[in-house]
Amino acid sequence: MTTNTECEFPVPAEANDLAAETPAPAQPAAGESATDVTEAVHAIARRSKVAARVLATATRSTKDAALKALADALEANATDIIAANAIDIDRERAGGMSDSTLDRLALNEARICAIADALREVAALPDPVGEVLRGSRLPNGLKLRQVRVPMGVVGMVYEARPNVTVDAAGLSLKSGNAVILRGGSAAAESNRVIVRVLRAALDNAGLPADLVQSVDEFGRPGAVALMGARGLVDLLVPRGGAGLIQTVVREAKVPVIETGVGNCHVYVDSEANLDWAHDIVLNAKVQRPSVCNSAETLLVHRDVAAQFLPRVLATLQAEQVTIHGDERAQASIPAGLRFEAATDEDWATEYHGLELAVRVVDSLDEAIDHIRTWTSGHTEAIVTDNVRSADRFVDELDSACVIVNASTRFTDGGEFGLGAEIGISTQKLHARGPMGLAELTTTKWVVFGEGQIRQ
Amino acid sequence: MTTNTECEFPVPAEANDLAAETPAPAQPAAGESATDVTEAVHAIARRSKVAARVLATATRSTKDAALKALADALEANATDIIAANAIDIDRERAGGMSDSTLDRLALNEARICAIADALREVAALPDPVGEVLRGSRLPNGLKLRQVRVPMGVVGMVYEARPNVTVDAAGLSLKSGNAVILRGGSAAAESNRVIVRVLRAALDNAGLPADLVQSVDEFGRPGAVALMGARGLVDLLVPRGGAGLIQTVVREAKVPVIETGVGNCHVYVDSEANLDWAHDIVLNAKVQRPSVCNSAETLLVHRDVAAQFLPRVLATLQAEQVTIHGDERAQASIPAGLRFEAATDEDWATEYHGLELAVRVVDSLDEAIDHIRTWTSGHTEAIVTDNVRSADRFVDELDSACVIVNASTRFTDGGEFGLGAEIGISTQKLHARGPMGLAELTTTKWVVFGEGQIRQ
């Protein structure tokens, strides 16, 4: 599996111009009109399509060799990449980017090796292309099979971290697709050099350089043109914060997969193992609070609230978690612990940090109602020893992943054994939950006959 | 399989207001603003969502019994339905609808029985919901499975034929979804009564009537509100002519599956069995020229053009097929046969009738290039005895269905053994080619643990 595949938050809005309220800093070169940009981006997409055709019939050996060549090239060009990254870092530091975000933007030798190793791990994964999903011999003798084939041209719109540039290129290459990248302006220089290195390595490996292209030079109008390239872009995947994703979903005219908004819940049932519940809540909230599969709201059955809440809330507060409690939860908060009163906004919020909304409910039904009302459809967990409660929770909630007696943090392509993960889909069409290489493919029906005609 | 599942053409543009150039005849009631309509349609969608939750956990027995009850109710209310249909027929005849289109709109006892039988056939199909697609026990002991679950709320926008109203309701019910219907104004009265009958039958069967709702009363603004109901409609399927489908794809904010535009090709290779080729071309063009899997362009290798074209063109012309030939094809047209000169417009056109574009090509490469340039990505067929040509045709063309030595007419859910067909997808996301019940579902990941937390 690749490293750093989880959807991570928070990302400053300005990290990708798309989600910015203010005009984008990167603009098309003077004299370029929106029409010019659209034509330039469409020309890029047409070149991607031609390149993708070459890759569609490439063998796994060819693709894996190319992935390893890309990895080697990144390491061989680490000095150039780090120098470009320093320009981004200096500019963003001067622009007031926080230290933690700067840290995520920064590249060094070790990080470049880790990014290169991720490509080698993608090479080790099975090739999804060519898999026969089903097939049969029809009554009239026609031999029918449904075969997995590449999407064609995949667009990727993402935020600051430059490792996503490489991840996206590697996953697209392995799944037989050409990729068109649109990164954040904060990593513009890093991405520019990385794309240059990847393209040269593809060319050396005997594959079209146009398998990896970028529209970063065209600024926001370039992203808009990419989102509008209907018939030229087969799939667009946004990766980043909610602002970016919603902008892409709203504006795109090409097929989009919505990823990664996670307002996840843990419900502690009346018959729960409270030791498990304690550890699961703690893990779901604090192990990595910035990612989408961390928990945002804890629901506790009233029968166990008095026993469970003081203990878990004390632990959470010791871990610096701010508690937003409803009235009954507040009544269970031990003296001396700080809390804030929960409002509807808390139920709706994906905090991306060390904050947790807490509510006491009268029943499993009330828990299910609460989750149905507020969830983003990512992951919900129940802690219970009652098989009927577990079944109802699983059956009646309509989220991508429902978990019984384990942490929400397990919703992850790597944990699920899917290998590399391109994102976590919170929509229902095409892909739901962790998306691996297979989700970057489509299928084709192949029919062989001996002159059959329809009666 | 259901009857009448094929995408049929031509449909007059005015059959569904969405595709009409002129203002829609059906307008919201006086005093209703666009906002009122949007709110009314969203309220309908919210009721659908509630109803869908009830159905999501219903057993197959419950759903099949309901399908049979709907079939019985349609037959029991045939008189009312035929009376309503007569109103539509009279209005449309007065409005100048052609006899052939009137015939497709018309209902009688026999047709209502056929429509009811289609529901009974859907009942006999396996239930897609609950199917476990994959599962495993993870290294940490978590038990993981991916289960097929309903989409939730499915919208259907379609044209005149009232049987689609019943088909859509039946397929949605079987796959566990609530459906919101938007039919064509030409069938407004028929659909109104059919929906009333279906809703009453659902209620009698102990299921929510809101599993089947219509937004027809709100006219075009209702359709626009349905297409914009993001978060309330999980999937929208347009069914009808190219104008309708393109309008829905362009305007919808909810997930859409593009269906049914078929500019299909037959390529006769230099090493083809010309008897097969003759019968396949004839079948692909004339057996049912109005449907999307009929052929629109014939490509013939130059080495066999002089031998093959005179024979097949004579047969086609005897079947009243108009030939649009390129220069070299024209040279092979026997004296006395009529033809028209083919232009780029012919290569691009889905004729929906007894017309065929014909081109002579120098090579398989030229055939592949031609198809890549002009295809809508539905179905392409090659007639060849050469295994390498067959393989290249299959591998290098990127259409939903590629066929060797058989008619394009086989691209069909019924022929493929999928059972009922909701349409033929020409997009790559979620579903490609014939869509059965499974394509009206999504999946959910279910995880069972024993207190596991992530390390």
Side-chain angles (χ1 to χ4, degrees):
Chain A
M1 98 199 64
T2 60
T3 55
N4 297 319
T5 58
E6 288 178 293
C7 41
E8 183 128 24
F9 301 96
V11 182
E14 66 272 28
N16 193 301
D17 325 332
L18 278 181
E21 298 294 323
T22 50
Q27 293 295 337
E32 265 187 307
S33 71
T35 312
D36 291 339
V37 169
T38 301
E39 279 172 19
V41 170
H42 286 196
I44 284 173
R46 279 189 289 270
R47 288 202 299 275
S48 292
K49 198 165 182 172
V50 172
R53 282 178 185 156
V54 175
L55 194 63
T57 54
T59 62
R60 172 171 178 182
S61 306
T62 303
K63 294 190 285 189
D64 290 352
L67 284 164
K68 288 172 194 162
L70 298 188
D72 294 345
L74 288 172
E75 290 175 343
N77 290 278
T79 311
D80 284 1
I81 295 168
I82 291 167
N85 184 250
I87 297 172
D88 288 330
I89 294 284
D90 288 348
R91 182 190 59 242
E92 296 305 317
R93 180 181 288 122
M97 184 179 271
S98 72
D99 283 350
S100 67
T101 310
L102 281 173
D103 178 62
R104 288 175 47 214
L105 177 57
L107 292 175
N108 55 32
E109 288 259 359
R111 286 186 175 182
I112 289 172
C113 287
I115 289 169
D117 277 342
L119 285 178
R120 297 183 181 107
E121 285 163 13
V122 171
L125 291 172
D127 188 346
V129 175
E131 185 188 358
V132 179
L133 297 178
R134 44 182 168 170
S136 62
R137 186 162 152 155
L138 302 178
N140 58 10
L142 285 178
K143 294 179 199 100
L144 174 72
R145 59 184 202 270
Q146 188 183 27
V147 183
R148 206 179 272 296
V149 296
M151 278 280 174
V153 178
V154 174
M156 180 79 62
V157 181
Y158 55 101
E159 292 179 317
R161 292 184 304 163
N163 66 296
V164 178
T165 306
V166 179
D167 271 0
L171 295 170
S172 298
L173 178 57
K174 182 80 186 201
S175 54
N177 297 294
V179 70
I180 303 176
L181 301 161
R182 153 63 180 175
S185 56
E189 197 58 24
S190 313
N191 287 339
R192 197 178 61 74
V193 174
I194 289 170
V195 168
R196 195 185 68 207
V197 169
L198 295 177
R199 287 173 56 88
L202 283 166
D203 193 44
N204 285 338
L207 286 174
D210 284 340
L211 288 171
V212 177
Q213 296 188 85
S214 164
V215 296
D216 283 357
E217 67 182 291
F218 302 106
R220 193 182 194 288
V224 172
L226 182 65
M227 293 190 288
R230 209 173 158 84
L232 295 171
V233 173
D234 295 296
L235 172 63
L236 188 63
V237 182
R239 242 180 94 170
L244 169 69
I245 291 166
Q246 285 312 310
T247 302
V248 171
V249 166
R250 199 175 53 242
E251 296 198 9
K253 304 272 180 269
V254 301
V256 170
I257 292 187
E258 198 169 338
T259 64
V261 177
N263 183 11
C264 303
H265 298 77
V266 177
Y267 167 59
V268 179
D269 193 34
S270 57
E271 297 178 44
N273 176 325
L274 296 184
D275 291 333
W276 288 0
H278 175 273
D279 293 353
I280 287 169
V281 170
L282 188 68
N283 184 258
K285 182 68 258 180
V286 310
Q287 198 230 5
R288 199 167 170 199
S290 62
V291 298
C292 59
N293 59 18
S294 64
E296 311 298 343
T297 296
L298 167 64
L299 302 171
V300 179
H301 193 284
R302 63 176 179 194
D303 291 353
V304 293
Q307 186 187 351
F308 179 64
L309 276 178
R311 179 179 162 206
V312 76
L313 296 181
T315 309
L316 287 166
Q317 198 151 95
E319 296 279 348
Q320 315 301 326
V321 176
T322 301
I323 306 298
H324 305 263
D326 80 332
E327 273 189 27
R328 287 196 287 180
Q330 290 170 32
S332 296
I333 294 180
L337 287 193
R338 297 172 308 280
F339 68 85
E340 298 177 7
T343 65
D344 278 358
E345 203 184 323
D346 289 298
W347 311 136
T349 298
E350 187 181 1
Y351 292 115
H352 308 143
L354 291 171
E355 299 185 69
L356 184 70
V358 182
R359 181 176 171 190
V360 174
V361 295
D362 287 334
S363 61
L364 173 63
D365 288 287
E366 195 177 332
I368 288 173
D369 278 349
H370 178 101
I371 295 171
R372 282 177 169 172
T373 304
W374 299 107
T375 186
S376 64
H378 189 297
T379 299
E380 330 297 348
I382 184 174
V383 186
T384 187
D385 283 346
N386 183 294
V387 70
R388 178 75 193 113
S389 297
D391 268 359
R392 284 196 53 208
F393 192 86
V394 165
D395 286 349
E396 296 179 22
L397 285 175
D398 184 30
S399 294
C401 188
V402 280
I403 297 181
V404 179
N405 291 330
S407 171
T408 56
R409 292 273 296 114
F410 286 109
T411 300
D412 174 89
E415 293 291 327
F416 279 11
L418 304 183
E421 177 186 290
I422 195 91
I424 295 181
S425 165
T426 51
Q427 69 174 43
K428 294 182 181 175
L429 213 64
H430 185 72
R432 201 172 191 213
M435 294 168 62
L437 288 167
E439 282 70 29
L440 290 179
T441 66
T442 181
T443 58
K444 176 195 277 186
W445 291 97
V446 179
V447 181
F448 271 78
E450 295 162 290
Q452 283 90 338
I453 59 172
R454 188 137 169 216
Q455 303 304 320
Chain B
M1 97 200 66
T2 60
T3 55
N4 296 319
T5 57
E6 288 179 295
C7 42
E8 183 126 29
F9 299 96
V11 181
E14 66 274 27
N16 192 303
D17 324 332
L18 277 181
E21 299 292 325
T22 48
Q27 292 297 333
E32 264 186 308
S33 70
T35 313
D36 292 339
V37 169
T38 300
E39 279 172 19
V41 170
H42 287 196
I44 284 172
R46 278 188 291 270
R47 288 203 298 275
S48 292
K49 198 165 183 171
V50 172
R53 283 177 185 154
V54 175
L55 194 63
T57 55
T59 63
R60 171 171 178 181
S61 306
T62 302
K63 293 190 287 190
D64 289 353
L67 284 164
K68 289 171 193 160
L70 298 187
D72 294 345
L74 288 171
E75 290 175 343
N77 290 277
T79 311
D80 284 2
I81 295 169
I82 291 166
N85 184 249
I87 297 173
D88 288 330
I89 294 283
D90 288 348
R91 181 189 60 241
E92 297 304 318
R93 180 180 289 121
M97 185 179 269
S98 72
D99 283 349
S100 66
T101 311
L102 281 172
D103 178 62
R104 288 177 44 212
L105 176 58
L107 292 176
N108 55 32
E109 287 259 0
R111 286 185 176 184
I112 289 172
C113 287
I115 290 170
D117 278 341
L119 285 178
R120 297 182 183 106
E121 285 163 14
V122 171
L125 291 172
D127 188 346
V129 175
E131 184 188 358
V132 178
L133 297 178
R134 45 183 167 168
S136 61
R137 186 163 153 155
L138 302 179
N140 58 11
L142 284 178
K143 293 178 199 101
L144 174 72
R145 60 183 201 269
Q146 187 183 27
V147 183
R148 208 179 271 294
V149 296
M151 276 281 173
V153 178
V154 174
M156 180 80 62
V157 181
Y158 55 101
E159 291 178 318
R161 292 184 303 162
N163 66 297
V164 179
T165 307
V166 180
D167 271 0
L171 295 170
S172 298
L173 178 57
K174 181 78 185 201
S175 54
N177 297 295
V179 70
I180 303 177
L181 301 161
R182 152 64 179 176
S185 56
E189 197 59 23
S190 313
N191 287 338
R192 198 178 61 74
V193 174
I194 289 171
V195 167
R196 195 185 68 205
V197 169
L198 295 177
R199 287 173 56 87
L202 282 166
D203 193 43
N204 285 339
L207 285 174
D210 285 341
L211 288 172
V212 177
Q213 296 188 86
S214 163
V215 296
D216 283 357
E217 64 181 294
F218 303 106
R220 192 182 195 288
V224 171
L226 183 65
M227 294 190 286
R230 207 170 162 84
L232 296 171
V233 173
D234 295 297
L235 173 63
L236 189 63
V237 182
R239 243 180 93 169
L244 170 69
I245 290 166
Q246 285 312 310
T247 303
V248 171
V249 166
R250 199 174 54 240
E251 296 198 9
K253 305 274 181 265
V254 302
V256 171
I257 292 187
E258 198 169 339
T259 64
V261 178
N263 183 11
C264 303
H265 299 76
V266 177
Y267 166 60
V268 179
D269 193 35
S270 56
E271 297 178 44
N273 177 323
L274 296 184
D275 291 332
W276 288 359
H278 175 272
D279 293 353
I280 287 169
V281 170
L282 188 68
N283 184 258
K285 181 68 260 179
V286 311
Q287 197 229 7
R288 199 167 169 200
S290 62
V291 297
C292 58
N293 58 19
S294 64
E296 310 298 343
T297 296
L298 167 64
L299 302 170
V300 179
H301 193 285
R302 64 177 179 194
D303 291 354
V304 293
Q307 185 186 355
F308 179 64
L309 276 178
R311 178 179 164 206
V312 76
L313 295 181
T315 310
L316 287 165
Q317 198 150 98
E319 297 280 346
Q320 314 302 324
V321 177
T322 301
I323 306 299
H324 304 263
D326 80 334
E327 272 190 26
R328 287 196 286 180
Q330 290 171 31
S332 296
I333 295 180
L337 287 194
R338 297 172 308 279
F339 67 87
E340 297 177 7
T343 65
D344 278 358
E345 203 185 324
D346 288 298
W347 310 137
T349 298
E350 187 180 1
Y351 293 115
H352 307 145
L354 290 171
E355 300 186 67
L356 184 70
V358 182
R359 181 177 171 190
V360 174
V361 295
D362 287 333
S363 62
L364 173 63
D365 287 288
E366 195 177 333
I368 288 174
D369 277 350
H370 178 101
I371 295 172
R372 282 176 169 173
T373 304
W374 299 107
T375 185
S376 64
H378 190 297
T379 299
E380 330 297 348
I382 183 174
V383 186
T384 187
D385 283 345
N386 183 294
V387 70
R388 179 75 194 115
S389 296
D391 267 359
R392 283 196 54 206
F393 192 85
V394 165
D395 287 348
E396 296 178 23
L397 285 175
D398 185 29
S399 294
C401 190
V402 279
I403 296 181
V404 179
N405 291 331
S407 171
T408 57
R409 291 274 296 115
F410 286 110
T411 300
D412 174 87
E415 293 292 328
F416 279 10
L418 305 183
E421 177 185 291
I422 194 90
I424 295 181
S425 165
T426 50
Q427 68 174 44
K428 295 183 181 176
L429 213 64
H430 186 72
R432 201 169 190 215
M435 293 168 62
L437 288 168
E439 282 69 29
L440 290 178
T441 66
T442 180
T443 58
K444 178 197 276 187
W445 290 97
V446 179
V447 182
F448 272 77
E450 297 163 289
Q452 282 90 338
I453 60 172
R454 185 136 169 217
Q455 303 303 319

